[in-house]
Amino acid sequence: MQSDLKLLFLRWRERGDLDALASVFDATAPALLKVALHLARRRDEAEDLVQATFVTALERSSSFDERRELLPWLSGILAMHARKRLANRTREAAADAPEAAGGEDPLDQASARELEALVARAVDELPATYARAVRAHVEHGVAPRELAEQLGVSRVNARARLHRGLKLLRRALPASLGARLFGASDPLEHVRTAVLSRGAHLSGAGSA
């Protein structure tokens, strides 16, 4: 599998084959996102890390050593971007330290409480079949495996209820808030589009 990925990446590098690049993205992006979620504070930051990883890989494709495997190389690029973001965040936090000394802004606290109340009301209005699953996941962080035990259903059933319930909750909330809390319906789709567009531009193949 690793060798196939490497050959696909080389096919894009040498021929500008966007189908090959799309296959590379589809095969590696989910694994890279899992790593990024451990390194970032929020999901949107993790998705940004994945996008930055691919863009750098495309722009520096000539530096890829064909004797190496592709995924470890991509993981190294992701780690580099994560370190840079952490360093920037540390500098920004140090610069803002005098302002933060007075504690959290009361307006921010009030806004957070209003957000929690809004989400709680939306969950309460969901059909009972989904409300319990969504409430356990959103308010208490219960994972699908534990959720199945709580509901007395199979893991497949629990995942289906949670997936459907979160989709209904997202629709019930204002569009901007739903996207902010839960991301896009396919969180990597916009990253995929951006990566393929960049790949097309670099290879001179036109727009993706």
Side-chain angles (χ1 to χ4, degrees):
M1 178 62 177
Q2 286 288 322
S3 297
D4 292 340
L5 289 176
K6 176 167 60 177
L7 291 175
L8 287 168
F9 184 74
L10 293 174
R11 187 183 300 170
W12 170 80
R13 186 177 75 176
E14 295 166 5
R15 306 179 193 171
D17 188 334
L18 287 182
D19 288 335
L21 177 57
S23 296
V24 169
F25 182 91
D26 293 340
T28 59
L32 292 172
L33 181 60
K34 287 182 180 180
V35 175
L37 286 169
H38 288 290
L39 301 175
R41 296 181 300 179
R42 303 191 310 269
R43 188 180 185 89
D44 59 336
E45 289 185 356
E47 293 168 12
D48 288 346
L49 281 175
V50 173
Q51 181 170 327
T53 296
F54 277 100
V55 169
T56 297
L58 298 180
E59 293 176 347
R60 302 182 184 177
S61 61
S62 60
S63 68
F64 175 62
D65 186 344
E66 299 178 22
R67 294 169 295 182
R68 296 185 60 185
E69 297 299 342
L70 183 66
L71 187 56
W73 183 64
L74 293 174
S75 298
I77 296 174
L78 190 150
M80 174 195 70
H81 280 292
R83 287 194 297 270
K84 286 184 177 180
R85 288 191 177 224
L86 178 59
N88 290 337
R89 204 157 56 224
T90 300
R91 285 194 296 269
E92 291 171 0
D96 293 341
E99 296 181 20
E104 189 173 352
D105 190 333
L107 290 177
D108 288 341
Q109 293 179 338
S111 177
R113 287 194 297 269
E114 290 177 6
L115 175 61
E116 290 176 5
L118 179 63
V119 173
R121 286 196 299 271
V123 171
D124 289 340
E125 293 172 0
L126 292 176
T129 304
Y130 307 113
R132 184 179 174 188
V134 172
R135 185 178 296 108
H137 179 72
V138 171
E139 297 181 4
H140 306 291
V142 178
R145 179 180 298 179
E146 290 76 21
L147 189 59
E149 297 175 359
Q150 290 186 13
L151 299 177
V153 298
S154 68
R155 293 182 187 177
V156 172
N157 190 302
R159 287 181 180 277
R161 289 192 193 184
L162 181 58
H163 177 75
R164 177 61 177 164
L166 289 174
K167 184 178 290 187
L168 291 173
L169 176 60
R170 189 171 187 270
R171 291 176 182 172
L173 294 170
S176 59
L177 177 57
R180 180 173 143 204
L181 289 176
F182 304 111
S185 54
D186 183 350
L188 287 175
E189 186 60 33
H190 69 284
V191 177
R192 189 181 194 270
T193 299
V195 169
L196 292 182
S197 295
R198 186 59 179 159
H201 176 76
L202 291 172
S203 65
S207 58

